Each structure stands twice: as structure tokens, then as C-alpha cells.
């Protein structure tokens, strides 16, 4: 059925006008029809046939074909020439070839020293790196972090092009004794602390190879353990240069010969001042060789377009949702060892289904006035936002003319009308627009100015990094997250239909208002962002994501099955305010306190439930 919309063509006092109600939201009968077709889409995407839409499954291709077919039925045109697909390759795993005869490392000093290192004893090759043969000077680059949001850059003033960089693992002040600089979420790790992110940053700075060395805290917890090739071979975003991990004692001798100081003292100075201390290791060179064979898997985004007309037609709005999930228990599964299908009904068949529904409302409208609307079902989100990163690297429509991006990820569990929207501060107009539209929809909106939720993000982040205003819609976490139990029968389809309606109206407003949204970079530590690694035992809590909650404590959105929190009777809505006499004002406090315990300890957790304090004793596992 062709849908007609009353177009908005003006701006009043610099604010977006609110579009009229969509015809699809008018009556119970039509709402039931919409929900029935959305349920049909959802059930297929979360079916056995789609095999959890894992990267290495045929089900992922079936899902892509299904989405493309629905885009075509909706009247949308293919965005990539005559194809709805934007293909690219990703690394589905790596294999080390030849052992020590093909993987070598020799250090050479300014006084003619030559130190030949042994694979497996003195160094390892990391699986997310690449084959290479390099002989080059060595440069110490501290933690190897470039973080403009924290005014910190280990590469500032250095030219490492064609050189081998030595990088400490983790980030400054990871233990929080002197105040966290890169705060963390339970069980998560800040992107700046990830070894593959550090290696990627080195590659961006044109380094020829990376040598990792363990930092103080890692060494203090036991032996100077080296990461193995196999445990790093499943990176889906491979680095194009060799990456090695070397014993700290060997690198320490290089540092001492250059500075007269131990690596520990240098590291402590960086942590204390949160100021980089990077320098060339004059006279030291390294000769290395690696041989890594990568298993390349072809994947594809699904991209369709509803063209606009008139003076705004050359500008673009993107609406996106990722359609991949975890297959039969790929990396990221929270069901340890399970090879059952991870159906991913909420994550993210719900967002993909809602994307298809919004697409139906803009298809088959020849001559529609306003900006073009591009609909993208991203792949590779679970492997590191790879599909959206590919699109923003090789966009099918110019990014400089892309005025906004709306992202739908896990929108299938609407409860008590609560919807969380991130990125409301990325344009000064967004918050008012949402409030005006919500007068009709009556959602209980939790608006967060920044783009990152606690412990991670989604595909909108790739666009935010390109200075494009973004809104991210999310209905909250749940115990089935990243488990085989995330099935279609637990989805609130009516809630998805309601979210489709408000997204349609937001899109209509953004597509027709003459003034494009002005991008605002949300700076400073996001109230819901993470992370260094949480090194103590965990309770298995799922924190609620709500910027507008001004009370102290950590509110639970749920608890993980079989974990200490569930066993002790904690549940969604509980607010943790104290652990064993130590106040918990926020998530950072929670992590700091928990890092002081070990498995086997018993802790007393004070919660507020229904307005009353309760104390619960929890054994840590």
C-alpha cells in the first residue's frame, strides 16, 4: 500500500517542527496488521534457518537475502548500483605457519649486541597481526594510546613511520588507586586498552610492527605471561603489520640501557602524571619475521535508498540496524561452551525488523520532497562494528552530506514504556525534537547526551566518529543477552511497532527541515562509558543505563542466570549502595570496591528495594 505523508518544510525559531501522525498508527486493526508482518520478519530472522546469523553461517546470507527482498518489496532502490549489497571481507581466524623457522625476532644494540629470541619462550606472535619481514629502529611509545577525549597521546611529537614500536599493555592508572582516567564497566575493557586497538593505532601512525610488553599490574599478578597465538587468532579486524608479545625483562634491558631507569619506574611516572613519556631507543634495532595465514570470509551490508526530491535531495539520512549475531556460540557468547543456536531475537533481529518496517513507510513514494533516506542492515557489529566502519570508510553516499544517523539495536524488550536514547547531545536540536514527538507516543524516555552505553556501543558510534549527529534507540538489557535463550517469543512486538512509528516521525522531521542538524561533539567522560578491565570477581549484574538517574548507587537492569547476584536473590530494580562497608556511588566505585576482593570471599551488599534498605551476604565465585 502506498503511504502518503504531510511534509514539513519549515523551521520555526530554529527548532524542528513536529510531523503529523503517521497513517499507520491510527487504528487497532491496522496496528494489528503491522504487528503481524513485523512478527513474521522477526520469526524468520530468529529462526533455525538463519542459524543465529553468525559470521561463518549460511544463515547470515539467508538473512541478508531476506532483508534485501523486503527492501525491494517496500519499493526501495538498491544503493550500490543495481545491488542491495555492499560486500567486503573480514578475517574469520588466523593460523601460524612454520613455527620458529618462519617466525623470528632478533634485537641488536648500539654496541654491537645481538640477542636472538626464541619463539614461545621469549616471544609470541599474535594472531591479529599479519605476515611480514621488518628490520627497523625501535621506539618506546608508552601505552600506545591516542585519546583526544582525555587529552592524552603517546604518539605526540613522534615520527614512528617505518619503525617498530614497543607498547605497554593496558592504560595509565588502570588500578584506580590515583583516580581512573579510562574508567571501566564490569567485565569490559576500554577500547584504548585493547591490544588490537593499540596495534591498529600503531598502524595508523605508520609503524612497521608492534612489540607488546606486559605492564606492572599484569606482571604483579603472576608470571610475565605471554598471550598465545591461538587466543588472539579470532580477531575479525586484522592488523596489516606484524604484532609480537615479548618478555618484559628483555624490553626492560633496552629501556635501562637508554635511560638508566627500569621500565617500572618509567611506567609509574606515566601513571602518576598521566603524561606520556615516549622516546626512540637510540641505537637499538629489531629484525623480525612472521608468517600468518588468514581465513578470509566474505560478508555484506544490505543497503537500500528512498530518494528524495527538491533542494534537500542531495543530503542523506541513514537509518541502521545490525543483522548479525553469534551463530552457534561465537566469541562474545555468555553461555560458556554452548554450541546451541544463539537466536538473537532482541540482538538484533528486533532492530532489523523495525528497520524493515520503517523502510516500508518510505518506499513507493515517487517525488517525495526532502532528503534521501538510506536504510542499512549492517553485518559484523558483534565483531567490532565492522559493517558500519566499512560503510563510513567507503560510503555509498558522501558523509559530508549525511546529516544524521538513527540506530536501532535491541529494541524488542520495551517494558513499562521505557526506551533509552543515546546521542541526544550530538545535535542541539535533538532533545527538543524528541520531547515534542513524544507528547503523542508517551514513552518514558531516558536520554543520554553521549553515544556510548556502559561497556560498549553500537553502529551509530562509527558515524559519530565522523562528526555525524546520531540517535541510538535501546530498550534495555536482559538475562538472555548473548545467550541461546534470546528467542522471538520473548519480544514485545507492539513495542517494536511503536518505536517504528516514532523513528518514522523523527526521520520525516529530519528529512524535510531546511536546517540540517548541527553536530556537537560530546566531550568528557560519558556517564555510561567504560573501561579498564575489571580484575576482581564479578557478581553477574546488568547495570541499568540511565543518565537521568541522579541518585547514588548502581541500579540493576537484571542479573545473569547462575551468577552470584541471582543466587543471592538480587533482581532488576535493586540499587546497590554499599559493599562490605564501602560506599558505592556509581559504577566506577562498584568496580574499584569489587577489585579489592577475591574468589571465595563473602561480601555484604546493601541494596535499596522498594524504598527500603536490605543487606545481602553473597559468596564470590
Amino acid at each position: 500500500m502506498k503511504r502518503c505523508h504531510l511534509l514539513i518544510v519549515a523551521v520555526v525559531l530554529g527548532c524542528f517542527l513536529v510531523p503529523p501522525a503517521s497513517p499507520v498508527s491510527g487504528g487497532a486493526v491496522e496496528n494489528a496488521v503491522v504487528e503481524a508482518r513485523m512478527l513474521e520478519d522477526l520469526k524468520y530472522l530468529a529462526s533455525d534457518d538463519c542459524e543465529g546469523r553468525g559470521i561463518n553461517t549460511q544463515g547470515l546470507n539467508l538473512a541478508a537475502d531476506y532483508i534485501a527482498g523486503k527492501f525491494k518489496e517496500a519499493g526501495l532502490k538498491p544503493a550500490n548500483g543495481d545491488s542491495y549489497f555492499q560486500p567486503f571481507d573480514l578475517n574469520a581466524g588466523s593460523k601460524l605457519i612454520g613455527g620458529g623457522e618462519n617466525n623470528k625476532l632478533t634485537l641488536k644494540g648500539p654496541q654491537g649486541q645481538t640477542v636472538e629470541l626464541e619463539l614461545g619462550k621469549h616471544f609470541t606472535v599474535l594472531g591479529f597481526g599479519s605476515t611480514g619481514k621488518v628490520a627497523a629502529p625501535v621506539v618506546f611509545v608508552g601505552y600506545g594510546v591516542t585519546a583526544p577525549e582525555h587529552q592524552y597521546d603517546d604518539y605526540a611529537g613522534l615520527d614512528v613511520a617505518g619503525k617498530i614500536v614497543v607498547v605497554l599493555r593496558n592504560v595509565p592508572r588502570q588500578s584506580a588507586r590515583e583516580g581512573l582516567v579510562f574508567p571501566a564497566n564490569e567485565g569490559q575493557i576500554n577500547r584504548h586498552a585493547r591490544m588490537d586497538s593499540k596495534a591498529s593505532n600503531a598502524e595508523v601512525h605508520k609503524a612497521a610492527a608492534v612489540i607488546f610488553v606486559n605492564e606492572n599490574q599484569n606482571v604483579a599478578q603472576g608470571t610475565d605471561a605471554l598471550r598465545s597465538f591461538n587466543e588472539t587468532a579470532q580477531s575479525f579486524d586484522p592488523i596489516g603489520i606484524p604484532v609480537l608479545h615479548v618478555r618484559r625483562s628483555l624490553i626492560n634491558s633496552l629501556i635501562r640501557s637508554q635511560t638508566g631507569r627500569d621500565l617500572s619506574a618509567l611506567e609509574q611516572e606515566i601513571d602518576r602524571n598521566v603524561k606520556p613519556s615516549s622516546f626512540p631507543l637510540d641505537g637499538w634495532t629489531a629484525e623480525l619475521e612472521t608468517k600468518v595465514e588468514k581465513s578470509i570470509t566474505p560478508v555484506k551490508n544490505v543497503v537500500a535508498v528512498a530518494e528524495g526530491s527538491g533542494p534537500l535531495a542531495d543530503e542523506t539520512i541513514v537509518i541502521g540496524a545490525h543483522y548479525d549475531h553469534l551463530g552457534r556460540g561465537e566469541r562474545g557468547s555468555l553461555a560458556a561452551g554452548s554450541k546451541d543456536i544463539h537466536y538473537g531475537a532482541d540482538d538484533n533481529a528486533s532492530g532489523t525488523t523495525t528497520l524493515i518496517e520503517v523502510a516500508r513507510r518510505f518506499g513507493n513514494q515517487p517525488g517525495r520532497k526532502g532528503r534521501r533516506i538510506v536504510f542499512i542492515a549492517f553485518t559484523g557489529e558483534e565483531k567490532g562494528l565492522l559493517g558500519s566502519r566499512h560503510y563510513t570508510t567507503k560510503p555509498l553516499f558522501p558523509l559530508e552530506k549525511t546529516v544524521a544517523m538513527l540506530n536501532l539495536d535491541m529494541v524488542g524488550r520495551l517494558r513499562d514504556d521505557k526506551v533509552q536514547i543515546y546521542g541526544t547531545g550530538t545535535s542541539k536540536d535533538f532533545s527538543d525534537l524528541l520531547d515534542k514527538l513524544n507528547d503523542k507516543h508517551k514513552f518514558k524516555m531516558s536520554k543520554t547526551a553521549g553515544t556510548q552505553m556502559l561497556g560498549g556501543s553500537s553502529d551509530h558510534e562509527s558515524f559519530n566518529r565522523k562528526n555525524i549527529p546520531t540517535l541510538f534507540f535501546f530498550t534495555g538489557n536482559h538475562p538472555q543477552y548473548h545467550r541461546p535463550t534470546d528467542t522471538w517469543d520473548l519480544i514485545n512486538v507492539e513495542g517494536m511497532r511503536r518505536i517504528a512509528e516514532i523513528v518514522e516521525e523523527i526521520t520525516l522531521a529530519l528529512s524535510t527541515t531546511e536546517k540540517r542538524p548541527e553536530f556537537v561533539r560530546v566531550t568528557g567522560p560519558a556517564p555510561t562509558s567504560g573501561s579498564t578491565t575489571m580484575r576482581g570477581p564479578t557478581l553477574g549484574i546488568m547495570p541499568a543505563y540511565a543518565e537521568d538517574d541522579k541518585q547514588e548507587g548502581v541500579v540493576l537492569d537484571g542479573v545473569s542466570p547462575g551468577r552470584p547476584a541471582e543466587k543471592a536473590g538480587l533482581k532488576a530494580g535493586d540499587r546497590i549502595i554499599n559493599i562490605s562497608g564501602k560506599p558505592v556511588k556509581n559504577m566506577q566505585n562498584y568496580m574499584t570496591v569489587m577489585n579489592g576482593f577475591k574468589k571465595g570471599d563473602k561480601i555484604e551488599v546493601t541494596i535499596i528495594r522498594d524504598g527500603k534498605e536490605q543487606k545481602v551476604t553473597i559468596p564470590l565465585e
Side-chain angles (χ1 to χ4, degrees):
M1 179 177 68
K2 180 178 178 181
R3 304 188 182 280
C4 299
H5 299 272
L6 179 62
L7 300 178
I8 300 169
V9 295
V11 176
V12 177
L13 298 177
C15 296
F16 290 108
L17 290 178
V18 180
S22 165
V24 300
S25 59
V29 173
E30 189 155 10
N31 287 346
V33 171
V34 172
E35 290 168 22
R37 70 190 181 203
M38 293 183 76
L39 180 59
E40 180 183 358
D41 294 337
L42 176 77
K43 289 174 73 173
Y44 179 77
L45 293 171
S47 68
D48 287 347
D49 287 348
C50 287
E51 301 179 89
R53 308 180 307 282
I55 289 298
N56 293 310
T57 66
Q58 181 57 30
L60 185 69
N61 292 323
L62 293 177
D65 291 341
Y66 182 88
I67 296 163
K70 293 301 178 182
F71 283 165
K72 185 176 182 179
E73 286 179 14
L76 302 181
K77 296 179 180 179
N80 193 12
D82 59 357
S83 175
Y84 287 96
F85 300 133
Q86 183 190 32
F88 63 100
D89 292 335
L90 59 78
N91 180 39
S94 301
K95 181 168 65 174
L96 191 65
I97 304 299
E101 63 270 22
N102 289 331
N103 298 275
K104 306 172 184 178
L105 175 60
T106 301
L107 302 175
K108 294 187 175 182
Q111 299 176 357
Q113 311 99 306
T114 298
V115 184
E116 293 186 2
L117 279 60
E118 182 180 341
L119 179 68
K121 181 178 180 180
H122 302 124
F123 78 98
T124 56
V125 177
L126 300 188
F128 55 77
S130 294
T131 294
K133 188 173 184 179
V134 180
V138 180
V139 180
F140 175 72
V141 294
Y143 288 98
V145 169
T146 299
E149 70 273 25
H150 297 294
Q151 294 79 50
Y152 185 93
D153 186 3
D154 283 305
Y155 287 91
L158 280 181
D159 178 9
V160 300
K163 300 171 185 176
I164 298 170
V165 294
V166 173
V167 181
L168 286 165
R169 293 181 62 185
N170 224 300
V171 289
R173 290 194 184 178
Q174 60 194 289
S175 66
R177 286 189 299 269
E178 298 173 284
L180 286 171
V181 178
F182 301 85
N185 173 37
E186 178 177 9
Q188 301 291 330
I189 183 169
N190 185 280
R191 65 185 179 90
H192 295 299
R194 291 175 57 95
M195 295 178 80
D196 53 356
S197 294
K198 290 170 179 276
S200 178
N201 192 36
E203 189 176 21
V204 166
H205 285 86
K206 301 182 180 180
V210 178
I211 292 176
F212 278 107
V213 58
N214 287 328
E215 84 293 357
N216 262 334
Q217 183 165 321
N218 200 303
V219 174
Q221 291 183 338
T223 60
D224 183 18
L226 299 175
R227 296 288 302 276
S228 73
F229 182 89
N230 287 339
E231 69 178 313
T232 58
Q234 293 302 312
S235 172
F236 287 83
D237 193 16
I239 307 302
I241 56 178
V243 182
L244 287 71
H245 192 186
V246 176
R247 296 284 184 197
R248 183 180 172 97
S249 58
L250 295 167
I251 299 301
N252 191 45
S253 63
L254 273 66
I255 298 292
R256 190 186 299 115
S257 71
Q258 175 75 24
T259 66
R261 305 170 63 193
D262 283 342
L263 181 56
S264 294
L266 182 60
E267 185 179 340
Q268 289 167 9
E269 180 181 282
I270 298 173
D271 289 357
R272 182 172 57 254
N273 300 324
V274 196
K275 184 178 179 180
S277 181
S278 305
F279 49 85
L281 291 168
D282 292 337
W284 282 98
T285 62
E287 296 178 359
L288 62 87
E289 183 176 349
T290 59
K291 192 167 185 180
V292 178
E293 183 179 278
K294 299 184 184 300
S295 175
I296 302 300
T297 296
V299 293
K300 55 206 172 195
N301 294 326
V302 188
V303 193
V305 59
E307 292 288 359
S309 65
L312 302 178
D314 198 34
E315 295 182 339
T316 300
I317 295 166
V318 172
I319 308 176
H322 76 89
Y323 71 98
D324 65 302
H325 192 55
L326 301 178
R328 295 181 180 271
E330 294 173 1
R331 188 179 66 172
S333 170
L334 296 180
S338 173
K339 297 302 179 184
D340 293 335
I341 293 176
H342 288 50
Y343 292 98
D346 189 31
D347 186 14
N348 186 36
S350 68
T352 306
T353 295
T354 306
L355 175 73
I356 292 170
E357 181 56 34
V358 177
R360 290 185 178 112
R361 302 175 184 213
F362 287 95
N364 289 317
Q365 292 189 47
R368 177 185 60 82
K369 298 293 184 182
R371 297 178 172 93
R372 78 167 57 87
I373 304 169
V374 175
F375 297 85
I376 310 179
F378 297 108
T379 191
E381 190 271 351
E382 299 288 3
K383 312 307 175 189
L385 315 184
L386 300 186
S388 56
R389 285 167 58 183
H390 179 77
Y391 180 87
T392 54
T393 301
K394 298 182 178 180
L396 300 181
F397 300 93
L399 292 186
E400 64 271 17
K401 293 188 176 182
T402 299
V403 306
M405 190 272 181
L406 311 182
N407 185 34
L408 299 157
D409 194 349
M410 294 178 63
V411 294
R413 295 292 190 94
L414 186 69
R415 292 156 285 189
D416 300 322
D417 295 327
K418 294 178 181 178
V419 61
Q420 298 163 34
I421 305 177
Y422 291 80
T424 59
T426 61
S427 174
K428 62 182 180 181
D429 301 300
F430 278 171
S431 187
D432 287 345
L433 174 64
L434 289 168
D435 288 343
K436 290 178 181 180
L437 290 172
N438 198 41
D439 283 344
K440 179 183 71 175
H441 294 279
K442 307 301 183 185
F443 287 111
K444 297 174 183 175
M445 287 184 176
S446 172
K447 296 185 292 184
T448 298
T451 57
Q452 291 199 354
M453 64 169 58
L454 193 58
S457 192
S458 183
D459 287 305
H460 60 286
E461 187 64 24
S462 299
F463 290 80
N464 181 259
R465 292 174 185 173
K466 299 294 185 179
N467 298 333
I468 295 170
T470 58
L471 290 173
F472 164 36
F473 297 81
F474 174 62
T475 55
N477 217 326
H478 45 77
Q480 294 78 35
Y481 172 72
H482 278 200
R483 292 178 170 85
T485 48
D486 180 10
T487 51
W488 69 265
D489 54 302
L490 300 177
I491 298 300
N492 181 347
V493 179
E494 178 190 4
M496 288 166 50
R497 188 256 307 160
R498 292 176 58 199
I499 290 172
E501 288 167 1
I502 195 169
V503 169
E504 175 194 13
E505 294 182 8
I506 294 167
T507 304
L508 186 57
L510 294 174
S511 68
T512 55
T513 304
E514 182 177 353
K515 178 187 174 185
R516 65 182 287 172
E518 180 181 348
F519 177 73
V520 176
R521 171 66 62 191
V522 180
T523 58
T528 55
S529 67
S531 70
T532 65
T533 305
M534 183 164 179
R535 298 182 179 274
T538 64
L539 296 178
I541 65 170
M542 298 178 184
Y545 310 126
E547 185 185 53
D548 57 357
D549 180 7
K550 303 303 181 184
Q551 298 184 55
E552 293 183 350
V554 173
V555 178
L556 306 191
D557 198 42
V559 292
S560 298
R563 303 286 287 118
E566 185 199 46
K567 292 178 181 179
L570 299 191
K571 61 182 182 180
D574 289 344
R575 182 185 298 271
I576 298 175
I577 60 171
N578 192 288
I579 298 177
S580 295
K582 298 179 181 179
V584 175
K585 297 182 179 181
N586 50 42
M587 194 62 196
Q588 292 184 25
N589 287 163
Y590 170 82
M591 290 184 298
T592 301
V593 172
M594 290 298 295
N595 280 339
F597 297 107
K598 62 182 183 298
K599 291 182 180 180
D601 288 347
K602 287 186 177 181
I603 61 174
E604 184 180 68
V605 178
T606 304
I607 63 171
I608 296 177
R609 178 182 294 172
D610 299 327
K612 298 179 181 179
E613 283 194 16
Q614 298 183 26
K615 295 184 185 296
V616 182
T617 299
I618 304 180
L620 298 178
E621 301 174 355

